[in-house]
Amino acid sequence: MDFTPTEEQGAAQGLAAQIFGDLATHERLAAAGSGTDAELWKELCTAGLTAAVEEIGLLGLVLLLEEQGRTTAQVPFAASCVYGLLAVADHGTGEQRERLLPPLRDGTAVATGAFPARSGLRTDGEGRLSGVVPYVPWLRDATLVLVADADRVLWVVRTADPGVAVLPVETTAPWSAARLVLDGAPGERLGGPGPELSPEPSPDPEAEAGTGREPEAEAERGEAAGAGMYGAVLAASRTAFAGLQAGVCAGSLARAVAHTTTREQFGRPLSTNQGVLLRAADAHMDTEAIRVTAYEAAWRHDQGLAYGAQALTAAWWASEAGRRVVHAGQHLHGGTGADLDHPVHRHFLWGRHLDSYLGCGSEVLGELGELLVKEGSW
């Protein structure tokens, strides 16, 4: 394994660090609240960073999201790239890629996803969906939302279409979330119609029988393909958001280091106390564990290797270690860390919401155990 960024990935990461560092200031973040910083989003898209994700791969995206996490920048970068750009590029038909990718590249379209699928959205057999997803991050900014039905088949839904309602939900989460209500809403199946939805059935039953294909088997194969696509998108999203969590933790720890090295107690910096040093060292090791596991999962994805177990491992570290790090960052600030207006509190909020967004640690660990048993890897 070689996680060394390519020249293109390194250049993109450097540009992202510059843009996030210049525009995602504490004052601008405070003004944005839980909404999107439209100017920052425009700058990222104009610089070509959204479009670059297709070229630099999932590992490149993880590197960019690290930079976003360091500053807790208020843009739907992770969601739009994972549930839009990469999902369509990896799983869409040629026609879908040609039609959907250009506006996602330039940022005029924003995607998000209703993941993981817990709501049991229903389809009527004609591509119309019904059901409720109580909470979808960045939904208020999205023009497209990727959803999964009860069979884990993926559908692209346009938020402006009839039968789609977006109801704002106010939480402590640092992104503009909303409830998604679908009532016979038209959906476009990602990857095109499956075998069970074939628009041109053979007019000759005997000819069809000669192929050796049974309608029931075709339907089962179509459902399995849909479920496999759902799992692939979920694994990619867990990897990407683990990269975002690594950046959030790195930013929290950097603020804690700056505070403890300049704040004095009894005539010496707080950082000279052994307890402070040990707490910061543990947080650093946890942050590195999140980063390296996210890198491994993303690298394997880009190399075309199986990475389901690695994505779950990264998600577990992002949940368990991420929670420890943002708590440590706040605690090392002492009483200052309790100030809701202090920048470190944003890292705390991001870290706590990301630690359970795509499955809490125990849930992810259970999935990992089941996968290892299934693969015989234990």
Side-chain angles (χ1 to χ4, degrees), residues 7-61:
E7 183 177 350
E8 293 78 11
Q9 290 171 337
Q13 184 181 21
L15 180 58
Q18 179 182 346
I19 294 174
F20 285 128
D22 290 344
L23 294 182
T25 62
H26 175 59
E27 293 73 22
R28 290 173 62 91
L29 292 171
S34 63
T36 295
D37 186 331
E39 182 181 346
L40 174 55
W41 179 243
K42 181 179 179 180
E43 185 68 23
L44 291 168
C45 297
T46 302
L49 288 176
T50 47
V53 169
E54 291 176 78
E55 300 297 326
I56 61 179
L58 185 55
L59 179 56
L61 176 59

Side-chain angles (χ1 to χ4, degrees), residues 349-367:
L349 284 180
W350 276 66
R352 286 313 312 263
H353 281 280
L354 286 174
D355 84 47
S356 60
Y357 165 46
L358 293 173
C360 65
S362 58
E363 180 180 359
V364 169
L365 191 62
E367 289 184 44

Side-chain angles (χ1 to χ4, degrees), residues 317-365:
W317 277 103
S319 177
E320 295 292 316
R323 182 172 63 252
R324 289 195 296 265
V325 173
V326 294
H327 274 272
Q330 194 168 38
H331 292 166
L332 289 173
H333 277 76
T336 307
D339 184 355
L340 300 184
D341 295 324
H342 194 281
V344 76
H345 185 66
R346 294 184 58 82
H347 290 273
F348 178 79
L349 284 180
W350 276 66
R352 286 313 312 263
H353 281 280
L354 286 174
D355 84 47
S356 60
Y357 165 46
L358 293 173
C360 65
S362 58
E363 180 180 359
V364 169
L365 191 62

Side-chain angles (χ1 to χ4, degrees), residues 75-87:
V75 286
F77 194 53
S80 196
C81 288
V82 171
Y83 301 123
L85 276 164
L86 291 183

Side-chain angles (χ1 to χ4, degrees), residues 210-238:
T211 65
R213 295 194 300 265
E214 296 292 336
E216 293 81 2
E218 289 289 279
E220 290 178 3
R221 185 154 51 247
E223 292 174 4
M229 193 180 298
Y230 166 81
V233 173
L234 180 58
S237 62
R238 280 172 164 163

